[in-house]
Amino acid sequence: RKFTKAVAAALVAAPVAAAAAHNAQQPPTPREPKAPPNPQPTPTPQPPSPVAEAYAEAAKARFGKYLSDEEFERVRRDLAGNVRTSERLASFKLKNSDEPDFIFVA
Protein backbone atom coordinates (compact mmCIF):
# COMPACT_ATOMS: atom_id res chain seq x y z
CA ARG A 1 0.00 0.00 0.00
CA LYS A 2 2.76 2.42 0.92
CA PHE A 3 4.55 1.70 -2.35
CA THR A 4 1.40 2.37 -4.37
CA LYS A 5 0.84 5.66 -2.55
CA ALA A 6 4.44 6.68 -3.14
CA VAL A 7 4.20 5.88 -6.86
CA ALA A 8 0.92 7.79 -7.15
CA ALA A 9 2.41 10.80 -5.36
CA ALA A 10 5.44 10.74 -7.65
CA LEU A 11 3.25 10.59 -10.74
CA VAL A 12 1.19 13.53 -9.53
CA ALA A 13 4.21 15.60 -8.52
CA ALA A 14 6.26 15.01 -11.69
CA PRO A 15 4.12 17.09 -14.10
CA VAL A 16 3.82 19.88 -11.55
CA ALA A 17 7.60 20.02 -11.07
CA ALA A 18 8.19 19.89 -14.83
CA ALA A 19 5.73 22.71 -15.43
CA ALA A 20 7.34 24.82 -12.70
CA ALA A 21 10.79 24.30 -14.21
CA HIS A 22 9.50 25.13 -17.68
CA ASN A 23 7.83 28.32 -16.45
CA ALA A 24 10.98 29.36 -14.57
CA GLN A 25 13.04 29.22 -17.79
CA GLN A 26 10.69 31.40 -19.84
CA PRO A 27 10.56 35.17 -19.27
CA PRO A 28 7.15 36.41 -18.20
CA THR A 29 5.02 37.63 -21.06
CA PRO A 30 3.26 40.97 -20.68
CA ARG A 31 -0.38 40.48 -19.91
CA GLU A 32 -3.15 42.42 -21.48
CA PRO A 33 -5.34 44.31 -19.05
CA LYS A 34 -8.47 42.47 -18.11
CA ALA A 35 -11.71 43.71 -19.50
CA PRO A 36 -14.09 45.04 -16.87
CA PRO A 37 -16.56 42.43 -15.73
CA ASN A 38 -19.82 42.33 -17.60
CA PRO A 39 -22.43 43.53 -15.12
CA GLN A 40 -25.18 40.99 -14.75
CA PRO A 41 -28.68 42.21 -14.10
CA THR A 42 -29.88 41.35 -10.64
CA PRO A 43 -32.51 38.64 -10.72
CA THR A 44 -35.97 39.68 -9.71
CA PRO A 45 -37.03 38.03 -6.49
CA GLN A 46 -39.52 35.26 -7.05
CA PRO A 47 -42.54 35.00 -4.81
CA PRO A 48 -42.23 32.05 -2.45
CA SER A 49 -44.19 28.98 -3.34
CA PRO A 50 -47.11 27.90 -1.15
CA VAL A 51 -45.17 24.76 -0.24
CA ALA A 52 -42.22 26.85 1.01
CA GLU A 53 -44.60 29.05 2.99
CA ALA A 54 -46.17 25.96 4.57
CA TYR A 55 -42.73 24.65 5.54
CA ALA A 56 -41.83 28.07 6.98
CA GLU A 57 -45.02 28.16 9.05
CA ALA A 58 -44.31 24.66 10.36
CA ALA A 59 -40.77 25.71 11.26
CA LYS A 60 -42.08 28.84 12.99
CA ALA A 61 -44.62 26.81 14.98
CA ARG A 62 -41.98 24.34 16.08
CA PHE A 63 -38.86 26.50 16.50
CA GLY A 64 -40.19 30.08 16.51
CA LYS A 65 -39.45 30.76 20.15
CA TYR A 66 -35.77 29.92 19.59
CA LEU A 67 -35.28 32.09 16.47
CA SER A 68 -34.92 35.83 16.14
CA ASP A 69 -36.72 37.57 13.26
CA GLU A 70 -33.46 37.73 11.26
CA GLU A 71 -32.77 34.04 11.77
CA PHE A 72 -36.32 33.12 10.82
CA GLU A 73 -36.06 35.10 7.56
CA ARG A 74 -32.87 33.22 6.76
CA VAL A 75 -34.68 29.93 7.46
CA ARG A 76 -37.56 31.05 5.23
CA ARG A 77 -35.16 31.88 2.36
CA ASP A 78 -33.35 28.56 2.77
CA LEU A 79 -36.62 26.64 2.71
CA ALA A 80 -37.76 28.49 -0.42
CA GLY A 81 -34.44 27.64 -2.09
CA ASN A 82 -34.76 23.99 -1.11
CA VAL A 83 -38.29 23.83 -2.55
CA ARG A 84 -37.11 25.44 -5.82
CA THR A 85 -34.26 22.94 -6.03
CA SER A 86 -36.56 19.98 -5.39
CA GLU A 87 -39.01 21.22 -8.04
CA ARG A 88 -36.18 21.59 -10.53
CA LEU A 89 -34.89 18.07 -9.79
CA ALA A 90 -38.39 16.64 -10.10
CA SER A 91 -38.79 18.30 -13.52
CA PHE A 92 -36.16 15.98 -15.03
CA LYS A 93 -37.99 12.84 -16.03
CA LEU A 94 -35.98 9.66 -15.78
CA LYS A 95 -36.42 6.63 -17.98
CA ASN A 96 -36.65 3.18 -16.52
CA SER A 97 -33.20 2.43 -17.95
CA ASP A 98 -31.53 5.33 -16.09
CA GLU A 99 -29.32 4.11 -13.28
CA PRO A 100 -27.95 5.96 -10.28
CA ASP A 101 -24.37 7.16 -10.33
CA PHE A 102 -22.47 4.94 -7.92
CA ILE A 103 -19.22 6.15 -6.43
CA PHE A 104 -17.06 3.38 -4.97
CA VAL A 105 -14.66 4.40 -2.24
CA ALA A 106 -12.28 1.88 -0.70
Side-chain angles (χ1 to χ4, degrees):
R1 234 182 213 188
K2 289 179 184 179
F3 175 74
T4 305
K5 287 182 181 180
V7 169
L11 290 175
V12 170
V16 174
H22 180 67
N23 289 339
Q25 293 174 356
Q26 293 181 345
T29 58
R31 294 187 177 193
E32 294 181 19
K34 283 188 172 181
N38 187 7
Q40 300 292 328
T42 57
T44 57
Q46 298 175 355
S49 73
V51 174
E53 286 299 317
Y55 285 143
E57 289 303 316
K60 186 173 189 174
R62 186 164 181 188
F63 306 109
K65 62 183 176 183
Y66 303 111
L67 299 172
S68 68
D69 291 338
E70 179 183 307
E71 291 171 328
F72 181 70
E73 282 305 312
R74 193 170 39 209
V75 168
R76 183 187 298 266
R77 283 193 311 268
D78 287 346
L79 287 170
N82 290 345
V83 168
R84 279 193 309 272
T85 301
S86 69
E87 289 171 352
R88 176 131 169 122
L89 286 172
S91 70
F92 292 103
K93 300 299 178 197
L94 298 177
K95 296 180 277 187
N96 194 28
S97 61
D98 291 337
E99 294 183 6
D101 185 20
F102 290 102
I103 299 174
F104 177 76
V105 178

PDB file of all heavy atoms in Angstrom, residues 37-74:
ATOM      1  N   PRO A  37     -15.557  43.489 -15.753  1.00  0.00           N
ATOM      2  CA  PRO A  37     -16.563  42.430 -15.731  1.00  0.00           C
ATOM      3  C   PRO A  37     -17.881  42.921 -16.316  1.00  0.00           C
ATOM      4  O   PRO A  37     -18.249  44.080 -16.170  1.00  0.00           O
ATOM      5  CB  PRO A  37     -16.702  42.079 -14.250  1.00  0.00           C
ATOM      6  CG  PRO A  37     -16.165  43.244 -13.524  1.00  0.00           C
ATOM      7  CD  PRO A  37     -15.162  43.895 -14.427  1.00  0.00           C
ATOM      8  N   ASN A  38     -18.539  42.000 -16.997  1.00  0.00           N
ATOM      9  CA  ASN A  38     -19.817  42.334 -17.598  1.00  0.00           C
ATOM     10  C   ASN A  38     -20.871  42.347 -16.491  1.00  0.00           C
ATOM     11  O   ASN A  38     -21.136  41.318 -15.889  1.00  0.00           O
ATOM     12  CB  ASN A  38     -20.168  41.295 -18.666  1.00  0.00           C
ATOM     13  CG  ASN A  38     -21.393  41.680 -19.451  1.00  0.00           C
ATOM     14  OD1 ASN A  38     -21.908  42.781 -19.294  1.00  0.00           O
ATOM     15  ND2 ASN A  38     -21.871  40.779 -20.278  1.00  0.00           N
ATOM     16  N   PRO A  39     -21.460  43.496 -16.219  1.00  0.00           N
ATOM     17  CA  PRO A  39     -22.427  43.533 -15.122  1.00  0.00           C
ATOM     18  C   PRO A  39     -23.665  42.706 -15.471  1.00  0.00           C
ATOM     19  O   PRO A  39     -24.246  42.852 -16.536  1.00  0.00           O
ATOM     20  CB  PRO A  39     -22.773  45.008 -14.970  1.00  0.00           C
ATOM     21  CG  PRO A  39     -22.423  45.621 -16.268  1.00  0.00           C
ATOM     22  CD  PRO A  39     -21.315  44.782 -16.864  1.00  0.00           C
ATOM     23  N   GLN A  40     -24.007  41.826 -14.566  1.00  0.00           N
ATOM     24  CA  GLN A  40     -25.182  40.985 -14.749  1.00  0.00           C
ATOM     25  C   GLN A  40     -26.374  41.659 -14.084  1.00  0.00           C
ATOM     26  O   GLN A  40     -26.247  42.210 -12.994  1.00  0.00           O
ATOM     27  CB  GLN A  40     -24.963  39.599 -14.129  1.00  0.00           C
ATOM     28  CG  GLN A  40     -23.796  38.848 -14.715  1.00  0.00           C
ATOM     29  CD  GLN A  40     -24.076  38.454 -16.157  1.00  0.00           C
ATOM     30  OE1 GLN A  40     -25.202  38.204 -16.533  1.00  0.00           O
ATOM     31  NE2 GLN A  40     -23.035  38.421 -16.963  1.00  0.00           N
ATOM     32  N   PRO A  41     -27.511  41.621 -14.746  1.00  0.00           N
ATOM     33  CA  PRO A  41     -28.677  42.208 -14.099  1.00  0.00           C
ATOM     34  C   PRO A  41     -29.058  41.381 -12.874  1.00  0.00           C
ATOM     35  O   PRO A  41     -28.925  40.162 -12.853  1.00  0.00           O
ATOM     36  CB  PRO A  41     -29.772  42.132 -15.168  1.00  0.00           C
ATOM     37  CG  PRO A  41     -29.317  41.067 -16.098  1.00  0.00           C
ATOM     38  CD  PRO A  41     -27.807  41.070 -16.042  1.00  0.00           C
ATOM     39  N   THR A  42     -29.488  42.067 -11.851  1.00  0.00           N
ATOM     40  CA  THR A  42     -29.881  41.354 -10.642  1.00  0.00           C
ATOM     41  C   THR A  42     -31.197  40.635 -10.894  1.00  0.00           C
ATOM     42  O   THR A  42     -32.117  41.189 -11.482  1.00  0.00           O
ATOM     43  CB  THR A  42     -30.048  42.324  -9.464  1.00  0.00           C
ATOM     44  OG1 THR A  42     -30.998  43.322  -9.823  1.00  0.00           O
ATOM     45  CG2 THR A  42     -28.734  42.986  -9.104  1.00  0.00           C
ATOM     46  N   PRO A  43     -31.275  39.384 -10.481  1.00  0.00           N
ATOM     47  CA  PRO A  43     -32.507  38.644 -10.725  1.00  0.00           C
ATOM     48  C   PRO A  43     -33.648  39.209  -9.878  1.00  0.00           C
ATOM     49  O   PRO A  43     -33.445  39.652  -8.748  1.00  0.00           O
ATOM     50  CB  PRO A  43     -32.166  37.217 -10.304  1.00  0.00           C
ATOM     51  CG  PRO A  43     -31.002  37.344  -9.398  1.00  0.00           C
ATOM     52  CD  PRO A  43     -30.277  38.594  -9.802  1.00  0.00           C
ATOM     53  N   THR A  44     -34.820  39.201 -10.453  1.00  0.00           N
ATOM     54  CA  THR A  44     -35.968  39.685  -9.711  1.00  0.00           C
ATOM     55  C   THR A  44     -36.368  38.624  -8.700  1.00  0.00           C
ATOM     56  O   THR A  44     -36.371  37.435  -9.007  1.00  0.00           O
ATOM     57  CB  THR A  44     -37.157  39.972 -10.655  1.00  0.00           C
ATOM     58  OG1 THR A  44     -37.457  38.775 -11.366  1.00  0.00           O
ATOM     59  CG2 THR A  44     -36.823  41.068 -11.631  1.00  0.00           C
ATOM     60  N   PRO A  45     -36.672  39.035  -7.490  1.00  0.00           N
ATOM     61  CA  PRO A  45     -37.030  38.029  -6.491  1.00  0.00           C
ATOM     62  C   PRO A  45     -38.340  37.344  -6.860  1.00  0.00           C
ATOM     63  O   PRO A  45     -39.300  37.983  -7.265  1.00  0.00           O
ATOM     64  CB  PRO A  45     -37.164  38.827  -5.195  1.00  0.00           C
ATOM     65  CG  PRO A  45     -37.258  40.246  -5.589  1.00  0.00           C
ATOM     66  CD  PRO A  45     -36.684  40.377  -6.965  1.00  0.00           C
ATOM     67  N   GLN A  46     -38.337  36.033  -6.726  1.00  0.00           N
ATOM     68  CA  GLN A  46     -39.522  35.259  -7.051  1.00  0.00           C
ATOM     69  C   GLN A  46     -40.388  35.143  -5.805  1.00  0.00           C
ATOM     70  O   GLN A  46     -39.869  35.011  -4.696  1.00  0.00           O
ATOM     71  CB  GLN A  46     -39.137  33.874  -7.535  1.00  0.00           C
ATOM     72  CG  GLN A  46     -38.317  33.881  -8.789  1.00  0.00           C
ATOM     73  CD  GLN A  46     -37.866  32.470  -9.148  1.00  0.00           C
ATOM     74  OE1 GLN A  46     -38.096  31.532  -8.419  1.00  0.00           O
ATOM     75  NE2 GLN A  46     -37.208  32.350 -10.288  1.00  0.00           N
ATOM     76  N   PRO A  47     -41.697  35.181  -5.981  1.00  0.00           N
ATOM     77  CA  PRO A  47     -42.545  34.997  -4.808  1.00  0.00           C
ATOM     78  C   PRO A  47     -42.395  33.569  -4.291  1.00  0.00           C
ATOM     79  O   PRO A  47     -42.241  32.640  -5.072  1.00  0.00           O
ATOM     80  CB  PRO A  47     -43.959  35.255  -5.335  1.00  0.00           C
ATOM     81  CG  PRO A  47     -43.871  35.034  -6.795  1.00  0.00           C
ATOM     82  CD  PRO A  47     -42.460  35.387  -7.196  1.00  0.00           C
ATOM     83  N   PRO A  48     -42.402  33.411  -2.981  1.00  0.00           N
ATOM     84  CA  PRO A  48     -42.229  32.053  -2.446  1.00  0.00           C
ATOM     85  C   PRO A  48     -43.413  31.169  -2.801  1.00  0.00           C
ATOM     86  O   PRO A  48     -44.547  31.627  -2.893  1.00  0.00           O
ATOM     87  CB  PRO A  48     -42.125  32.271  -0.940  1.00  0.00           C
ATOM     88  CG  PRO A  48     -42.664  33.621  -0.688  1.00  0.00           C
ATOM     89  CD  PRO A  48     -42.521  34.404  -1.952  1.00  0.00           C
ATOM     90  N   SER A  49     -43.125  29.916  -2.997  1.00  0.00           N
ATOM     91  CA  SER A  49     -44.187  28.981  -3.344  1.00  0.00           C
ATOM     92  C   SER A  49     -45.025  28.679  -2.110  1.00  0.00           C
ATOM     93  O   SER A  49     -44.558  28.832  -0.973  1.00  0.00           O
ATOM     94  CB  SER A  49     -43.596  27.691  -3.904  1.00  0.00           C
ATOM     95  OG  SER A  49     -43.000  26.947  -2.874  1.00  0.00           O
ATOM     96  N   PRO A  50     -46.273  28.248  -2.299  1.00  0.00           N
ATOM     97  CA  PRO A  50     -47.110  27.899  -1.154  1.00  0.00           C
ATOM     98  C   PRO A  50     -46.510  26.763  -0.320  1.00  0.00           C
ATOM     99  O   PRO A  50     -46.677  26.721   0.896  1.00  0.00           O
ATOM    100  CB  PRO A  50     -48.437  27.465  -1.782  1.00  0.00           C
ATOM    101  CG  PRO A  50     -48.427  28.003  -3.158  1.00  0.00           C
ATOM    102  CD  PRO A  50     -46.996  28.176  -3.551  1.00  0.00           C
ATOM    103  N   VAL A  51     -45.795  25.859  -0.973  1.00  0.00           N
ATOM    104  CA  VAL A  51     -45.166  24.762  -0.244  1.00  0.00           C
ATOM    105  C   VAL A  51     -44.086  25.311   0.690  1.00  0.00           C
ATOM    106  O   VAL A  51     -43.986  24.923   1.860  1.00  0.00           O
ATOM    107  CB  VAL A  51     -44.572  23.726  -1.223  1.00  0.00           C
ATOM    108  CG1 VAL A  51     -43.796  22.661  -0.491  1.00  0.00           C
ATOM    109  CG2 VAL A  51     -45.655  23.125  -2.076  1.00  0.00           C
ATOM    110  N   ALA A  52     -43.272  26.254   0.188  1.00  0.00           N
ATOM    111  CA  ALA A  52     -42.220  26.849   1.008  1.00  0.00           C
ATOM    112  C   ALA A  52     -42.829  27.625   2.170  1.00  0.00           C
ATOM    113  O   ALA A  52     -42.306  27.596   3.292  1.00  0.00           O
ATOM    114  CB  ALA A  52     -41.339  27.761   0.161  1.00  0.00           C
ATOM    115  N   GLU A  53     -43.933  28.321   1.916  1.00  0.00           N
ATOM    116  CA  GLU A  53     -44.605  29.053   2.994  1.00  0.00           C
ATOM    117  C   GLU A  53     -45.132  28.096   4.049  1.00  0.00           C
ATOM    118  O   GLU A  53     -45.063  28.372   5.249  1.00  0.00           O
ATOM    119  CB  GLU A  53     -45.733  29.910   2.424  1.00  0.00           C
ATOM    120  CG  GLU A  53     -45.245  31.137   1.683  1.00  0.00           C
ATOM    121  CD  GLU A  53     -44.451  32.087   2.570  1.00  0.00           C
ATOM    122  OE1 GLU A  53     -44.862  32.332   3.724  1.00  0.00           O
ATOM    123  OE2 GLU A  53     -43.405  32.563   2.101  1.00  0.00           O
ATOM    124  N   ALA A  54     -45.664  26.948   3.623  1.00  0.00           N
ATOM    125  CA  ALA A  54     -46.170  25.962   4.573  1.00  0.00           C
ATOM    126  C   ALA A  54     -45.026  25.401   5.423  1.00  0.00           C
ATOM    127  O   ALA A  54     -45.177  25.242   6.640  1.00  0.00           O
ATOM    128  CB  ALA A  54     -46.883  24.841   3.832  1.00  0.00           C
ATOM    129  N   TYR A  55     -43.893  25.125   4.791  1.00  0.00           N
ATOM    130  CA  TYR A  55     -42.735  24.654   5.544  1.00  0.00           C
ATOM    131  C   TYR A  55     -42.269  25.716   6.538  1.00  0.00           C
ATOM    132  O   TYR A  55     -41.893  25.407   7.671  1.00  0.00           O
ATOM    133  CB  TYR A  55     -41.582  24.284   4.614  1.00  0.00           C
ATOM    134  CG  TYR A  55     -41.742  22.979   3.875  1.00  0.00           C
ATOM    135  CD1 TYR A  55     -41.299  22.841   2.573  1.00  0.00           C
ATOM    136  CD2 TYR A  55     -42.305  21.866   4.483  1.00  0.00           C
ATOM    137  CE1 TYR A  55     -41.419  21.644   1.891  1.00  0.00           C
ATOM    138  CE2 TYR A  55     -42.433  20.657   3.813  1.00  0.00           C
ATOM    139  CZ  TYR A  55     -41.993  20.563   2.522  1.00  0.00           C
ATOM    140  OH  TYR A  55     -42.120  19.367   1.857  1.00  0.00           O
ATOM    141  N   ALA A  56     -42.267  26.985   6.105  1.00  0.00           N
ATOM    142  CA  ALA A  56     -41.833  28.070   6.981  1.00  0.00           C
ATOM    143  C   ALA A  56     -42.776  28.204   8.178  1.00  0.00           C
ATOM    144  O   ALA A  56     -42.324  28.425   9.309  1.00  0.00           O
ATOM    145  CB  ALA A  56     -41.759  29.376   6.204  1.00  0.00           C
ATOM    146  N   GLU A  57     -44.065  28.079   7.943  1.00  0.00           N
ATOM    147  CA  GLU A  57     -45.020  28.164   9.054  1.00  0.00           C
ATOM    148  C   GLU A  57     -44.835  26.997  10.024  1.00  0.00           C
ATOM    149  O   GLU A  57     -44.941  27.174  11.235  1.00  0.00           O
ATOM    150  CB  GLU A  57     -46.449  28.220   8.525  1.00  0.00           C
ATOM    151  CG  GLU A  57     -46.787  29.532   7.846  1.00  0.00           C
ATOM    152  CD  GLU A  57     -46.567  30.746   8.748  1.00  0.00           C
ATOM    153  OE1 GLU A  57     -46.955  30.684   9.939  1.00  0.00           O
ATOM    154  OE2 GLU A  57     -45.988  31.727   8.269  1.00  0.00           O
ATOM    155  N   ALA A  58     -44.563  25.806   9.490  1.00  0.00           N
ATOM    156  CA  ALA A  58     -44.308  24.662  10.360  1.00  0.00           C
ATOM    157  C   ALA A  58     -43.039  24.876  11.178  1.00  0.00           C
ATOM    158  O   ALA A  58     -43.001  24.566  12.378  1.00  0.00           O
ATOM    159  CB  ALA A  58     -44.186  23.393   9.533  1.00  0.00           C
ATOM    160  N   ALA A  59     -42.010  25.427  10.549  1.00  0.00           N
ATOM    161  CA  ALA A  59     -40.768  25.706  11.264  1.00  0.00           C
ATOM    162  C   ALA A  59     -40.988  26.774  12.327  1.00  0.00           C
ATOM    163  O   ALA A  59     -40.440  26.689  13.434  1.00  0.00           O
ATOM    164  CB  ALA A  59     -39.684  26.153  10.285  1.00  0.00           C
ATOM    165  N   LYS A  60     -41.807  27.777  12.018  1.00  0.00           N
ATOM    166  CA  LYS A  60     -42.082  28.837  12.987  1.00  0.00           C
ATOM    167  C   LYS A  60     -42.866  28.288  14.172  1.00  0.00           C
ATOM    168  O   LYS A  60     -42.598  28.641  15.322  1.00  0.00           O
ATOM    169  CB  LYS A  60     -42.857  29.967  12.318  1.00  0.00           C
ATOM    170  CG  LYS A  60     -43.042  31.165  13.216  1.00  0.00           C
ATOM    171  CD  LYS A  60     -43.659  32.308  12.460  1.00  0.00           C
ATOM    172  CE  LYS A  60     -43.635  33.552  13.319  1.00  0.00           C
ATOM    173  NZ  LYS A  60     -44.100  34.721  12.590  1.00  0.00           N
ATOM    174  N   ALA A  61     -43.834  27.401  13.890  1.00  0.00           N
ATOM    175  CA  ALA A  61     -44.616  26.811  14.979  1.00  0.00           C
ATOM    176  C   ALA A  61     -43.744  25.947  15.882  1.00  0.00           C
ATOM    177  O   ALA A  61     -43.932  25.919  17.099  1.00  0.00           O
ATOM    178  CB  ALA A  61     -45.764  25.991  14.406  1.00  0.00           C
ATOM    179  N   ARG A  62     -42.790  25.263  15.288  1.00  0.00           N
ATOM    180  CA  ARG A  62     -41.979  24.338  16.079  1.00  0.00           C
ATOM    181  C   ARG A  62     -40.785  25.012  16.735  1.00  0.00           C
ATOM    182  O   ARG A  62     -40.460  24.725  17.888  1.00  0.00           O
ATOM    183  CB  ARG A  62     -41.506  23.200  15.183  1.00  0.00           C
ATOM    184  CG  ARG A  62     -40.784  22.138  15.935  1.00  0.00           C
ATOM    185  CD  ARG A  62     -40.659  20.879  15.141  1.00  0.00           C
ATOM    186  NE  ARG A  62     -39.977  19.872  15.938  1.00  0.00           N
ATOM    187  CZ  ARG A  62     -39.583  18.724  15.459  1.00  0.00           C
ATOM    188  NH1 ARG A  62     -39.814  18.422  14.210  1.00  0.00           N
ATOM    189  NH2 ARG A  62     -38.965  17.861  16.222  1.00  0.00           N
ATOM    190  N   PHE A  63     -40.100  25.922  16.002  1.00  0.00           N
ATOM    191  CA  PHE A  63     -38.855  26.501  16.499  1.00  0.00           C
ATOM    192  C   PHE A  63     -38.911  28.011  16.669  1.00  0.00           C
ATOM    193  O   PHE A  63     -37.887  28.640  16.924  1.00  0.00           O
ATOM    194  CB  PHE A  63     -37.699  26.166  15.542  1.00  0.00           C
ATOM    195  CG  PHE A  63     -37.550  24.707  15.276  1.00  0.00           C
ATOM    196  CD1 PHE A  63     -37.886  24.171  14.043  1.00  0.00           C
ATOM    197  CD2 PHE A  63     -37.073  23.850  16.249  1.00  0.00           C
ATOM    198  CE1 PHE A  63     -37.746  22.825  13.779  1.00  0.00           C
ATOM    199  CE2 PHE A  63     -36.933  22.496  15.999  1.00  0.00           C
ATOM    200  CZ  PHE A  63     -37.275  21.980  14.767  1.00  0.00           C
ATOM    201  N   GLY A  64     -40.079  28.621  16.499  1.00  0.00           N
ATOM    202  CA  GLY A  64     -40.191  30.079  16.508  1.00  0.00           C
ATOM    203  C   GLY A  64     -39.686  30.744  17.760  1.00  0.00           C
ATOM    204  O   GLY A  64     -39.099  31.825  17.709  1.00  0.00           O
ATOM    205  N   LYS A  65     -39.884  30.120  18.902  1.00  0.00           N
ATOM    206  CA  LYS A  65     -39.455  30.756  20.149  1.00  0.00           C
ATOM    207  C   LYS A  65     -37.934  30.771  20.299  1.00  0.00           C
ATOM    208  O   LYS A  65     -37.398  31.514  21.100  1.00  0.00           O
ATOM    209  CB  LYS A  65     -40.103  30.067  21.344  1.00  0.00           C
ATOM    210  CG  LYS A  65     -39.738  28.624  21.512  1.00  0.00           C
ATOM    211  CD  LYS A  65     -40.497  28.023  22.682  1.00  0.00           C
ATOM    212  CE  LYS A  65     -40.208  26.525  22.791  1.00  0.00           C
ATOM    213  NZ  LYS A  65     -40.980  25.927  23.870  1.00  0.00           N
ATOM    214  N   TYR A  66     -37.230  29.963  19.513  1.00  0.00           N
ATOM    215  CA  TYR A  66     -35.772  29.922  19.587  1.00  0.00           C
ATOM    216  C   TYR A  66     -35.091  30.802  18.543  1.00  0.00           C
ATOM    217  O   TYR A  66     -33.879  30.975  18.592  1.00  0.00           O
ATOM    218  CB  TYR A  66     -35.268  28.481  19.389  1.00  0.00           C
ATOM    219  CG  TYR A  66     -35.851  27.500  20.371  1.00  0.00           C
ATOM    220  CD1 TYR A  66     -36.746  26.527  19.944  1.00  0.00           C
ATOM    221  CD2 TYR A  66     -35.514  27.549  21.709  1.00  0.00           C
ATOM    222  CE1 TYR A  66     -37.283  25.619  20.844  1.00  0.00           C
ATOM    223  CE2 TYR A  66     -36.047  26.646  22.616  1.00  0.00           C
ATOM    224  CZ  TYR A  66     -36.935  25.688  22.171  1.00  0.00           C
ATOM    225  OH  TYR A  66     -37.470  24.793  23.064  1.00  0.00           O
ATOM    226  N   LEU A  67     -35.857  31.328  17.594  1.00  0.00           N
ATOM    227  CA  LEU A  67     -35.285  32.088  16.475  1.00  0.00           C
ATOM    228  C   LEU A  67     -35.633  33.562  16.568  1.00  0.00           C
ATOM    229  O   LEU A  67     -36.771  33.922  16.875  1.00  0.00           O
ATOM    230  CB  LEU A  67     -35.805  31.545  15.140  1.00  0.00           C
ATOM    231  CG  LEU A  67     -35.489  30.091  14.805  1.00  0.00           C
ATOM    232  CD1 LEU A  67     -36.236  29.671  13.547  1.00  0.00           C
ATOM    233  CD2 LEU A  67     -34.003  29.905  14.621  1.00  0.00           C
ATOM    234  N   SER A  68     -34.642  34.402  16.259  1.00  0.00           N
ATOM    235  CA  SER A  68     -34.924  35.829  16.137  1.00  0.00           C
ATOM    236  C   SER A  68     -35.585  36.062  14.776  1.00  0.00           C
ATOM    237  O   SER A  68     -35.647  35.159  13.927  1.00  0.00           O
ATOM    238  CB  SER A  68     -33.632  36.634  16.247  1.00  0.00           C
ATOM    239  OG  SER A  68     -32.805  36.397  15.120  1.00  0.00           O
ATOM    240  N   ASP A  69     -36.078  37.264  14.546  1.00  0.00           N
ATOM    241  CA  ASP A  69     -36.718  37.575  13.265  1.00  0.00           C
ATOM    242  C   ASP A  69     -35.736  37.421  12.108  1.00  0.00           C
ATOM    243  O   ASP A  69     -36.090  36.919  11.045  1.00  0.00           O
ATOM    244  CB  ASP A  69     -37.295  38.992  13.274  1.00  0.00           C
ATOM    245  CG  ASP A  69     -38.487  39.113  14.201  1.00  0.00           C
ATOM    246  OD1 ASP A  69     -39.121  38.076  14.499  1.00  0.00           O
ATOM    247  OD2 ASP A  69     -38.782  40.252  14.627  1.00  0.00           O
ATOM    248  N   GLU A  70     -34.485  37.843  12.316  1.00  0.00           N
ATOM    249  CA  GLU A  70     -33.465  37.733  11.264  1.00  0.00           C
ATOM    250  C   GLU A  70     -33.162  36.267  10.949  1.00  0.00           C
ATOM    251  O   GLU A  70     -33.047  35.877   9.789  1.00  0.00           O
ATOM    252  CB  GLU A  70     -32.195  38.454  11.706  1.00  0.00           C
ATOM    253  CG  GLU A  70     -31.060  38.385  10.708  1.00  0.00           C
ATOM    254  CD  GLU A  70     -29.818  39.065  11.236  1.00  0.00           C
ATOM    255  OE1 GLU A  70     -29.924  40.235  11.648  1.00  0.00           O
ATOM    256  OE2 GLU A  70     -28.761  38.418  11.230  1.00  0.00           O
ATOM    257  N   GLU A  71     -33.034  35.454  11.983  1.00  0.00           N
ATOM    258  CA  GLU A  71     -32.767  34.039  11.773  1.00  0.00           C
ATOM    259  C   GLU A  71     -33.932  33.350  11.078  1.00  0.00           C
ATOM    260  O   GLU A  71     -33.738  32.509  10.201  1.00  0.00           O
ATOM    261  CB  GLU A  71     -32.493  33.353  13.112  1.00  0.00           C
ATOM    262  CG  GLU A  71     -31.189  33.766  13.751  1.00  0.00           C
ATOM    263  CD  GLU A  71     -31.052  33.239  15.170  1.00  0.00           C
ATOM    264  OE1 GLU A  71     -32.076  33.098  15.863  1.00  0.00           O
ATOM    265  OE2 GLU A  71     -29.909  32.974  15.575  1.00  0.00           O
ATOM    266  N   PHE A  72     -35.156  33.737  11.444  1.00  0.00           N
ATOM    267  CA  PHE A  72     -36.318  33.120  10.817  1.00  0.00           C
ATOM    268  C   PHE A  72     -36.406  33.489   9.340  1.00  0.00           C
ATOM    269  O   PHE A  72     -36.767  32.654   8.512  1.00  0.00           O
ATOM    270  CB  PHE A  72     -37.610  33.518  11.535  1.00  0.00           C
ATOM    271  CG  PHE A  72     -38.815  32.894  10.924  1.00  0.00           C
ATOM    272  CD1 PHE A  72     -39.038  31.535  11.040  1.00  0.00           C
ATOM    273  CD2 PHE A  72     -39.722  33.646  10.200  1.00  0.00           C
ATOM    274  CE1 PHE A  72     -40.139  30.934  10.460  1.00  0.00           C
ATOM    275  CE2 PHE A  72     -40.823  33.066   9.616  1.00  0.00           C
ATOM    276  CZ  PHE A  72     -41.036  31.709   9.750  1.00  0.00           C
ATOM    277  N   GLU A  73     -36.068  34.715   8.979  1.00  0.00           N
ATOM    278  CA  GLU A  73     -36.064  35.101   7.565  1.00  0.00           C
ATOM    279  C   GLU A  73     -35.029  34.298   6.782  1.00  0.00           C
ATOM    280  O   GLU A  73     -35.263  33.927   5.644  1.00  0.00           O
ATOM    281  CB  GLU A  73     -35.815  36.604   7.405  1.00  0.00           C
ATOM    282  CG  GLU A  73     -37.026  37.440   7.682  1.00  0.00           C
ATOM    283  CD  GLU A  73     -38.223  37.042   6.831  1.00  0.00           C
ATOM    284  OE1 GLU A  73     -38.079  36.880   5.600  1.00  0.00           O
ATOM    285  OE2 GLU A  73     -39.309  36.875   7.407  1.00  0.00           O
ATOM    286  N   ARG A  74     -33.890  34.036   7.418  1.00  0.00           N
ATOM    287  CA  ARG A  74     -32.868  33.223   6.764  1.00  0.00           C
ATOM    288  C   ARG A  74     -33.373  31.791   6.568  1.00  0.00           C
ATOM    289  O   ARG A  74     -33.159  31.186   5.523  1.00  0.00           O
ATOM    290  CB  ARG A  74     -31.586  33.242   7.582  1.00  0.00           C
ATOM    291  CG  ARG A  74     -30.400  32.702   6.855  1.00  0.00           C
ATOM    292  CD  ARG A  74     -29.106  32.932   7.557  1.00  0.00           C
ATOM    293  NE  ARG A  74     -29.245  32.758   8.987  1.00  0.00           N
ATOM    294  CZ  ARG A  74     -28.493  33.393   9.898  1.00  0.00           C
ATOM    295  NH1 ARG A  74     -27.575  34.228   9.519  1.00  0.00           N
ATOM    296  NH2 ARG A  74     -28.670  33.178  11.178  1.00  0.00           N
TER     297      ARG A  74
END
